[in-house]
Amino acid sequence: MTGNLLISALGVRVRITCDGLDADEVQAVEDAWRDARVDADDAGPAEVEVAAGTGGGIRNLLSALSQRVTLAAIEAQRGRMWMLHAAGLALPDGRVVALVGPSGRGKTTAARVLGREFGYVSDETVAVDVEGRVHPYRKPLSIIEAGEAEKAQRSPSTLGLRELPDAELRLAGIVLLDRREAIDGAVVEEVDLGDALPDLVAQSSYLTDLLAPLRTIAAHVASAGGILRVTYADVAALVDVLPWLAGSVRRGGETERIPPAASVRHSGGDRGRMDHDGPRWFRTPVHDEIELPDPQRLAVLQVDDAGEGTVRVLAGVAPTLLGEAQAASLDDLIEAAVRAHGRPAGQDAESLVRAALTDLADAGIVEQRAPRWGARGDIAWTGEGDRFVLLSLADPDASPVALEGSAAVIWHCMVEQDADTATLSRSVADRVGVEVAAVAQDVSAFVDELRRAALVERR
């Protein structure tokens, strides 16, 4: 039997095709997904197609289909929304509480119990767009039934869960679930953003595909009024506190807009000396970072080659060192640390700074190396071969600078690839066919001239 079913999942239209299913299987699919159905003319930012599959019995078919729909919807919204592994419940005015936690923390149970009192948004994923709007995913719930080895997939309405309110859905509460035995009622406590970030990152799908992901999270957290942790034994204890968890007394003002782009924060820079002979300290690129107040800390997000993100929250002297690590010597960093934090009691400043730099280097956040040189971003240049013309765009009174002969060769090698002076000297020597020793001094002196003319910068 053939047919298809159009549903909405996380703001994406998903077309479930039922090719090869018999009448009972098609009916089971329709029953399970009845509360997510949409009309063919309903608008959606994207549409994906998912095959229901065949074989294995109805329970296996529905379980596998639920996973495929979820993965397809998350993939379609990749990089567009913050997608939390969470249960979502909506109050009558559209405020949504996201109950966040890994598998086994009781999200489906919470959705099933609280969904009888509040609108059922999802028991799987809460998707939030840049404006703080929540896009529901009213998927069937996976329910353990007596005498059955496989979980059943039951629609929200079959389980008596409420419809969504006739209001715009907006994220108004972010709650970390902590289910424990021997807890009387529900214990609610505020959680610092820095302490909660590792959990939020771990429970986010495709987080590293978002623009400025840490600041995205911080903006949504600020809009929701902060983060709470709820410790409980029986989910029924959450019914009375859910309206408060939605931030009715904590939230105020409009949704905080997310900064448009990541930026590298540093207060260091070119300190007026070349210092070619010896390595300097540099910070390495990170995917995103945010400053955390009270106490002052810095959270950085690193992404590995597999796309996995790691959050590190830096405290003490580490944020200061990271901010200054832009072609900084050890003495520069010690001076900055003492200036910002004073001299440490019972320990000399140099030992403290060295230990902090070792930790940062081990984490891959800073590195010690020779400075690399490259053209500044605020200059324009043109030419090729043995002649180039440069112009500073930062200075309206600047005159063009012409580079010819060996100067043009050095410039050409530099703009091909950022390099330290030793590497740059080797490139120039190879290009003109001489020994490195014959050009090294000239290269170093010319780079210094370009630096003093504000045409190149350390990187």
Side-chain angles (χ1 to χ4, degrees), residues 42-398:
D42 285 346
E47 180 173 312
V48 297
E49 185 173 296
V50 174
T54 59
I58 288 179
R59 285 177 182 260
N60 283 330
L61 182 150
L62 294 178
S63 178
L65 174 59
S66 182
Q67 295 177 25
R68 285 196 291 271
V69 171
T70 298
L71 292 175
I74 289 175
E75 177 70 27
Q77 294 291 33
R78 181 176 186 170
R80 298 178 178 178
M81 297 189 185
W82 183 29
M83 294 178 287
L84 268 170
H85 192 208
L89 288 309
L91 275 67
D93 59 4
R95 286 177 295 148
V96 173
V97 177
L99 305 176
V100 185
S103 298
R105 288 289 175 87
K107 295 188 300 298
T108 295
T109 302
R112 187 176 179 183
V113 173
L114 298 174
R116 299 190 186 105
E117 303 291 334
F118 308 99
Y120 169 73
V121 176
S122 179
D123 74 331
E124 166 67 32
T125 300
V126 173
V128 190
D129 67 20
V130 69
E131 299 290 345
R133 292 184 293 262
V134 173
H135 296 260
Y137 181 26
R138 287 172 59 83
K139 60 180 288 291
L141 291 82
S142 298
I143 304 298
I144 298 175
E145 295 182 339
E148 296 289 346
E150 296 292 334
K151 291 183 178 180
Q153 303 294 315
R154 303 301 183 202
S155 69
S157 56
T158 298
L159 297 173
L161 307 190
R162 289 197 172 186
E163 296 283 344
L164 293 174
D166 186 17
E168 182 180 66
L169 301 181
R170 303 193 67 85
L171 184 66
I174 303 170
V175 180
L176 302 178
L177 289 181
D178 188 4
R179 193 173 188 179
R180 300 184 186 180
E181 300 298 328
I183 295 291
D184 185 17
V187 178
V188 182
E189 57 183 334
E190 294 186 2
V191 183
D192 177 78
L193 175 58
D195 295 334
L197 271 176
D199 286 329
L200 295 178
V201 168
Q203 300 308 317
S204 297
S205 298
Y206 292 128
L207 180 67
T208 58
D209 288 285
L210 286 174
L211 176 68
L214 293 187
R215 282 174 286 166
T216 296
I217 291 177
H220 288 312
V221 167
S223 179
I227 304 168
L228 299 174
R229 178 181 288 112
V230 175
T231 306
Y232 70 102
D234 186 351
V235 70
L238 302 183
V239 173
D240 292 336
V241 300
L242 193 77
W244 187 84
L245 297 177
S248 57
V249 298
R250 296 178 298 121
R251 179 184 174 192
E254 298 181 356
T255 300
E256 183 174 342
R257 297 300 297 272
I258 297 166
S263 61
V264 175
R265 181 187 64 88
H266 67 82
S267 56
D270 195 327
R271 292 168 170 78
R273 298 175 295 166
M274 286 295 289
D275 295 305
H276 293 308
D277 299 332
R280 313 281 286 184
W281 285 98
F282 291 82
R283 61 174 297 165
T284 60
V286 297
H287 195 77
D288 196 21
E289 65 182 56
I290 53 172
E291 294 183 356
L292 302 169
D294 301 325
Q296 290 294 321
R297 290 153 298 156
L298 182 70
V300 298
L301 176 65
Q302 298 167 287
V303 180
D304 62 21
D305 292 339
E308 296 296 324
T310 299
V311 170
R312 301 182 192 276
V313 179
L314 308 179
V317 72
T320 299
L321 300 180
L322 191 61
E324 294 288 331
Q326 184 72 13
S329 67
L330 178 62
D331 289 341
D332 293 331
L333 295 177
I334 293 171
E335 179 185 342
V338 171
R339 185 171 59 248
H341 303 276
R343 295 199 172 274
Q347 186 179 10
D348 67 281
E350 180 177 342
S351 297
L352 180 65
V353 169
R354 284 185 180 274
L357 286 172
T358 297
D359 290 341
L360 289 171
D362 289 345
I365 300 175
V366 298
E367 62 181 350
Q368 192 178 27
R369 59 170 173 80
R372 302 186 186 110
W373 296 92
R376 288 175 57 105
D378 55 2
I379 69 164
W381 58 273
T382 186
E384 60 181 355
D386 60 356
R387 178 178 171 81
F388 292 88
V389 178
L390 287 59
L391 178 65
S392 172
L393 302 179
D395 182 1
D397 298 323

Side-chain angles (χ1 to χ4, degrees), residues 8-23:
S8 176
L10 309 178
V12 177
R13 298 200 314 174
V14 179
R15 189 174 299 276
I16 300 174
T17 61
C18 298
D19 298 345
L21 300 189
D22 61 31

